[in-house]
Amino acid sequence: MGYVQEVISELVRKNPGEKEFHQAATEVLESLELVCDRHPEYQKQALLERLTEPDRAILFRVPWVDDKGQVHVNKGYRVQFNNAIGPYKGGLRLHPSVNLGIIKFLGFEQIFKNSLTGLPIGGGKGGSDFDPKGKSDREVMAFCQSFMTELYKYIGADVDVPAGDIGVGAREIGYLYGQYKRITGLYEGVLTGKGLTYGGSLARTEATGYGLIYFMDALLKSKGNSFAGKRVVVSGAGNVAIYATEKATQLGAKVVAMCDSTGWIYDEAGIDLAAVKQIKEVERKRLSEYKNYRPQSEYHTDGVIWDVPCDIALPCATQNELHLEHAQTLIKNGVIAVGEGANMPTTPDAAHAFQKAGVLYAPGKAANAGGVATSALEMTQNSMRMSWTFEEVDAKLQGIMVNIFHQVDEAAKAYGQADNFIVGANVAGFTKVANAMMAHGIV
Ligand code: NDP
């Protein structure tokens, strides 16, 4: 058995039950086989073993009181995976499905994504199995305050800088920041995704979705193509999905379908994004409401959004949402490109089916890096005690995403794997972290 396969089987043995972490680590490590063949010193230094073992995983109890006076207890997590190239950086996810394996998969992916941005940020991730859905603002505040009362011990502007993810938007970041400031007395850039009145960056809200489209635009242009006139399907109706839809539409595409966790909408005339924003961002309701704005649209609770024929598919909801049979349907319907706004939304067999069929397939760690890149720009602005305009941040974001595309493209070609953007992203993200780890000695 070769070095990489040995590391994978030990990782599976040592981390039983963490299936999403196994999946993410296997995908990355298998693409690094070529690199390890060229660098035998990595095996001697146990570089992959060190890379796949987090620096630390912090697990804690989060007790909070609901509006009726009942006490609840949730699990809290922060996995600080790797800080070879900068302070730990990665979001907090609040969703009932959260467990250690999911946080470790996300934290591991974050190492490579953050490296690809070219900015000095390491990888981490955190969250809780708390479900903010259906909770009052006071209950969400009670949870966030309790969560931060433990988390504050482990984070700091130069140590670990969490941000939002599923279930954590501006409201939650506000409550978390307020509690951090109250406990520590520090007014520092310890979280990103902050409100504009207290250190947030313009364009952070839009960054992941816009960044995805900038990346896909660079990819399409490299093949002499573009978004103009394309039919697009976007899964999700959250932060990433909404702003991917906005930018794709600005570039001349027509987004015809979106979904949330209970159903999907189809609007042949093109999604009315103002209606989706009102339903999801303002009223926090279900997409079934969309018909009230656009009576000619369709709302479905059966079937899947991937049955809708399209040129470009953008999975922007959650992990493992696009399976092999969905990929086969998309391919049959003539899809030319798939760009991951979410983290690991495509199962490995589906991703390989796309690659085999010649579909341009962009993995999330490259294509959705715009969010964390803009978070790093927020950290820079906080350190400088100044704010850039929307246009300045957006222009930097666009430059970063185009640069990520070229790094990924060139890394794939350098290893004889042209158009294999999985290999390109993993190799390009890994190289910088590996060089830093080698320089730091055995730590
Ligand atoms: P949000 O919570 O804002 O939105 C998630 C959306 O996906 C919601 O509309 C949700 O539905 C929907 N959804 C969740 N699970 C399912 C499911 N099983 N089937 C269909 N729809 C589902 O999260 P974000 O937009 O922030 O994050 C989406 C993805 O992007 C995640 O994988 C996240 O890790 C990744 N990501 C996010 C970044 C960011 O900056 N926000 C940065 C990089 C990656 P409902 O409305 O019903 O809850």
Side-chain angles (χ1 to χ4, degrees), residues 172-424:
E172 292 75 17
I173 292 290
Y175 294 146
L176 291 163
Y177 191 75
Q179 184 72 350
Y180 180 85
K181 180 169 66 67
R182 180 196 202 185
I183 297 173
T184 62
L186 294 171
Y187 206 102
E188 60 171 8
V190 68
L191 293 168
T192 57
K194 299 187 292 299
L196 295 177
T197 52
Y198 63 95
S201 173
L202 285 160
R204 174 60 188 93
T205 306
E206 294 82 356
T208 308
Y210 277 23
L212 169 65
I213 303 304
Y214 294 146
F215 183 96
M216 295 307 290
D217 189 47
L219 171 54
L220 290 167
K221 281 190 178 137
S222 75
K223 303 291 177 193
N225 214 330
S226 76
F227 270 100
K230 299 291 185 303
R231 275 171 73 86
V232 179
V233 167
V234 178
S235 68
N239 174 262
V240 181
I242 285 175
Y243 293 96
T245 298
E246 184 164 286
K247 184 53 73 177
T249 309
Q250 284 172 12
L251 296 190
K254 183 165 79 166
V255 177
V256 293
M258 293 180 85
C259 70
D260 64 14
S261 54
T262 49
W264 53 279
I265 52 173
Y266 172 67
D267 191 340
E268 182 51 40
I271 295 286
D272 176 352
L273 197 61
V276 173
K277 284 185 180 177
Q278 178 65 24
I279 297 164
K280 301 304 289 187
E281 291 186 332
V282 181
E283 296 170 12
R284 296 177 191 267
K285 286 190 176 159
R286 319 307 311 160
L287 273 184
S288 49
E289 302 282 319
Y290 185 77
K291 254 188 154 324
N292 300 335
Y293 295 82
R294 305 274 282 194
Q296 75 281 23
S297 68
E298 296 171 20
Y299 176 72
H300 299 272
T301 50
D302 51 3
V304 281
I305 195 169
W306 309 121
D307 291 339
V308 177
C310 62
D311 303 305
I312 299 170
L314 303 175
C316 297
T318 193
Q319 66 271 1
N320 292 330
E321 54 162 311
L322 199 166
H323 302 170
L324 179 60
E325 64 268 30
H326 307 143
Q328 286 163 340
T329 306
L330 284 163
I331 292 165
K332 182 166 62 70
N333 288 336
V335 74
I336 57 164
V338 177
E340 295 186 337
N343 286 312
M344 209 169 72
T346 311
T347 58
D349 50 1
H352 292 136
F354 286 134
Q355 289 186 320
K356 210 165 149 224
V359 175
L360 300 169
Y361 166 75
K365 68 169 73 67
N368 72 29
V372 75
T374 307
S375 277
L377 299 177
E378 182 175 330
M379 289 164 71
T380 306
Q381 293 169 79
N382 291 164
S383 305
M384 294 163 75
R385 304 252 189 275
M386 63 180 292
S387 323
W388 293 323
T389 63
F390 186 97
E391 289 69 26
E392 283 174 303
V393 179
D394 190 36
K396 288 184 205 299
L397 168 65
Q398 197 163 357
I400 290 168
M401 296 313 295
V402 171
N403 184 42
I404 293 177
F405 169 68
H406 289 300
Q407 278 185 71
V408 168
D409 191 37
E410 281 157 25
K413 286 177 181 150
Y415 281 89
Q417 305 270 323
D419 289 350
N420 185 338
F421 304 111
I422 301 179
V423 167

Side-chain angles (χ1 to χ4, degrees), residues 1 141 180:
M1 203 189 291
M141 180 175 73
Y180 180 85

